[in-house]
């Protein structure tokens, strides 16, 4: 174990001093978490999924919508790649998120707040969507048909739940709070991860690289060296954590204002539920695009809630498939071993094909516009270059990180396109339904 790790934490979790024993404990812990994934999401199919899918299904057959929605969640290719091959426990966490959304759909706001507070303490990355919960609970629980006294009582209830969960979580480590916070928010790790997540900073880094080459400048520290570190941009201004926070907050404001200004007198519970989930999708995507040191797997925080909406609206189904294709491809670098190449490609192709077929059972017509279809058609070309052409033309040794850069940039273009298009539609929401523009489709 790390010598700097607080001994009180070791005692709290029962972590032994011996490194082999500690490894065995960690292995058992992750195996337990691994099986909890199945339990949490399977129970989610019983406890959470039916209610959101039933509420958000639109005119679709309820049994078919629940079955298809559950299949898309349980069989999500990204979760299978990240949790069952790369080995983490995101499925368990998303199970808690869906339970929280389900509680709100059933008009149980305090239970939803409790579940989300637990989720936030399980993994702080879900702070990405915390503003949506704050606005929704304040506007539609505390301030809905209220007197000042009633609103104050409701606010105290919410505060007690959140603070209680945080005290239970952080209380045992009160002596080491500064160290805990430094580990939760590692600002010294740099703007981007070793493999750039497909966001705005991948495009920014690429532009800086291109300008540096064009101007003949040499970087002091390479952003493509495969190391997690801070670095200064060569030509463009370097980005600080404060800049990323400011941009993230700024671009969340229109989403949160739209959610706040929704009129309950003009909205059914179904429409309000759709708006809430769409706000989660957009705020998660905003944080993914503009956040500091974003990991590539964080794209699942956008895709999983979006899947809830796919069963009830053809426009949401279209975006679920579109984002699913590029999000799952952007996770390919996590499975970098050659023997996993066929596995990840097959998993992606099968899940995408099943998603299209299943959602076609609910929504007739075409999904993609011509430009979107052509963009998605570029992924087989990109995959062929990475696994065949790049080595064949002798660039594997000279430019080993070029395929990763191309993957980040190409996927980032798609995520940015999704975010802009989906946000424009959300801001034009009418009764909880997206306004579909009439354009040429393919």
């Amino acid at each position: 174990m790390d010598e700097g790790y607080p001994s009180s934490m070791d005692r709290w979790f029962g972590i032994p001093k011996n490194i082999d024993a500690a490894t065995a404990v960690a292995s058992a812990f992750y195996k337990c978490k691994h099986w909890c994934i199945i339990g949490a999401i399977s129970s989610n199919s019983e406890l959470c999924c039916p209610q959101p899918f039933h509420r958000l299904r639109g005119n679709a057959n309820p049994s078919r919508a629940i079955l298809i929605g559950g299949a898309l969640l349980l069989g999500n290719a990204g979760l299978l790649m990240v949790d069952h091959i790369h080995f983490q426990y995101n499925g368990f966490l998303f199970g808690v998120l869906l339970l929280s959304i389900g509680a709100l759909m059933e008009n149980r706001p305090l239970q939803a707040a409790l579940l989300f507070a637990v989720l936030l303490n399980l993994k702080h990355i879900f702070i990405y969507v915390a503003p949506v919960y704050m606005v929704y609970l304040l506007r539609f629980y505390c301030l809905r048909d209220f007197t000042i006294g009633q609103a104050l009582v409701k606010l105290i209830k919410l505060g007690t739940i959140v603070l209680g969960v945080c005290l239970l979580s952080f209380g045992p480590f009160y002596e080491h709070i500064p160290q805990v916070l430094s580990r939760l928010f590692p600002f010294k790790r740099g703007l981007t991860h070793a493999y750039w997540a497909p966001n705005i900073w991948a495009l920014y880094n690429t532009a800086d690289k291109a300008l540096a080459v064009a101007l003949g400048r040499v970087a002091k520290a390479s952003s493509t060296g495969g190391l997690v570190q801070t670095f200064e941009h060569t030509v463009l201004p370097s980005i600080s954590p404060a800049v990323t926070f400011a941009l993230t907050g700024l671009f969340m404001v229109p989403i949160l204002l739209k959610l706040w200004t929704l009129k309950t007198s003009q909205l059914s519970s179904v429409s309000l539920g759709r708006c809430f989930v769409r706000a989660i999708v957009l705020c998660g995507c905003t944080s993914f695009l503009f956040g500091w040191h974003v990991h590539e797997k964080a794209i699942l925080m956008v895709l999983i809630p979006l899947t809830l909406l796919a069963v009830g609206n053809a426009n949401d189904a279209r975006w679920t498939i579109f984002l699913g294709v590029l999000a799952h491809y952007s996770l390919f670098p996590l499975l970098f071993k050659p023997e996993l190449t066929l596995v990840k490609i097959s998993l992606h192709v099968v899940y995408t094909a099943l998603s299209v077929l299943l959602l076609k059972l609910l929504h007739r017509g075409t999904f993609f516009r011509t430009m979107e279809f052509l963009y998605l058609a570029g992924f087989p070309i990109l995959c062929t270059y990475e696994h065949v052409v790049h080595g064949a033309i002798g660039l594997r040794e000279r430019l080993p990180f070029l395929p990763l850069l191309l993957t980040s940039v190409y996927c980032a273009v798609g995520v940015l396109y999704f975010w802009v298009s989906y946000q424009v539609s959300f801001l034009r929401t009418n009764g909880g339904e997206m306004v579909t523009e009439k354009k040429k489709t393919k």
Side-chain angles (χ1 to χ4, degrees), residues 305-384:
L306 183 61
T307 305
L308 284 176
L309 297 164
V311 299
N313 184 281
N315 196 49
D316 291 311
R318 159 185 159 233
W319 287 120
T320 299
I321 296 173
F322 177 86
L323 187 65
V325 172
L326 68 95
H328 294 148
Y329 190 91
S330 73
L331 298 175
F332 276 14
L334 293 176
L335 312 181
F336 55 87
K337 294 182 179 180
E339 60 267 27
L340 294 176
T341 300
L342 184 59
V343 173
K344 63 188 181 184
I345 293 175
S346 300
L347 186 60
H348 192 321
V349 170
V350 170
Y351 181 79
T352 301
L354 287 176
S355 297
V356 173
L357 290 174
L358 291 175
L359 290 175
K360 282 284 188 180
L361 295 176
L362 298 176
H363 311 292
R364 304 298 178 183
T366 56
F367 279 144
F368 301 121
R369 294 165 180 154
T370 302
M371 183 174 66
E372 296 160 2
F373 181 84
L374 292 175
Y375 170 80
L376 295 178
F379 282 100
I381 299 172
L382 181 60
C383 187
T384 302

Side-chain angles (χ1 to χ4, degrees), residues 26 32 69 77 134 204 218 252 254 261 313 328 357 392 414:
C32 179
M134 292 172 60
Y204 191 84
V218 179
M252 277 189 183
T261 55
N313 184 281
H328 294 148
L357 290 174

Side-chain angles (χ1 to χ4, degrees), residues 74-335:
L74 287 169
N76 183 273
L79 285 177
L80 291 174
M81 284 190 280
V82 172
D83 285 7
H84 298 268
I85 303 177
H86 184 62
F87 201 75
Q88 290 187 355
Y89 50 95
N90 296 278
F92 163 73
L93 297 169
F94 282 116
V96 179
L97 176 63
L98 294 181
L99 285 171
S100 177
I101 294 173
L104 275 181
M105 296 298 100
E106 294 177 337
N107 197 28
R108 290 184 275 119
L110 294 179
Q111 182 180 338
L114 174 63
L115 287 167
F116 186 74
V118 170
L119 175 64
L120 197 56
N121 281 267
L122 284 170
K123 194 159 187 176
H124 68 289
I125 196 174
F126 285 91
I127 200 172
Y128 283 5
V129 298
V132 180
Y133 272 84
M134 292 172 60
V135 167
Y136 186 89
L137 289 172
L138 183 61
R139 173 68 178 84
F140 299 106
Y141 171 62
C142 295
L143 302 180
R144 186 173 187 174
D145 301 325
F146 72 100
T147 63
I148 294 178
Q150 291 173 334
L152 186 59
V153 169
K154 290 179 178 180
L155 190 59
I156 291 173
K157 288 180 180 179
L158 283 176
T160 301
I161 289 173
V162 175
L163 289 177
V165 172
C166 291
L167 286 174
L168 286 174
S169 177
F170 287 94
F173 314 115
Y174 69 94
E175 296 177 352
H176 310 284
I177 292 298
Q179 185 176 164
V180 170
L181 293 177
S182 69
R183 291 172 183 246
L184 288 176
F185 303 100
F187 297 124
K188 294 182 180 179
R189 292 187 180 180
L191 175 64
T192 51
H193 199 49
Y195 158 59
W196 302 344
N199 60 12
I200 199 72
W201 306 124
L203 301 175
Y204 191 84
N205 288 348
T206 302
D208 184 71
K209 280 284 181 185
L211 289 172
V213 172
L215 298 175
R217 298 189 187 180
V218 179
K220 295 179 181 179
S222 175
S223 59
T224 56
L227 300 176
V228 178
Q229 61 180 348
T230 57
F231 62 91
E232 297 291 325
H233 287 93
T234 307
V235 180
L236 298 176
S238 295
I239 304 298
S240 66
V243 171
T244 64
F245 289 153
L247 288 174
T248 302
L250 178 66
F251 286 113
M252 277 189 183
V253 168
I255 305 163
L256 300 176
L257 282 177
K258 182 64 179 181
L259 185 62
W260 180 274
T261 55
L262 292 175
K263 298 184 183 299
T264 55
S265 61
Q266 300 176 2
L267 289 173
S268 66
S269 59
V270 175
S271 299
L272 192 59
R274 284 175 176 154
C275 289
F276 170 71
V277 177
R278 285 177 183 134
I280 287 179
V281 169
L282 282 168
C283 281
C285 193
T286 301
S287 298
F288 181 83
L289 278 171
F290 299 99
W292 176 267
H293 197 77
V294 173
H295 285 243
E296 58 284 339
K297 59 183 175 288
I299 192 64
L300 294 176
M301 292 185 61
V302 185
L303 183 60
I304 297 299
L306 183 61
T307 305
L308 284 176
L309 297 164
V311 299
N313 184 281
N315 196 49
D316 291 311
R318 159 185 159 233
W319 287 120
T320 299
I321 296 173
F322 177 86
L323 187 65
V325 172
L326 68 95
H328 294 148
Y329 190 91
S330 73
L331 298 175
F332 276 14
L334 293 176
L335 312 181

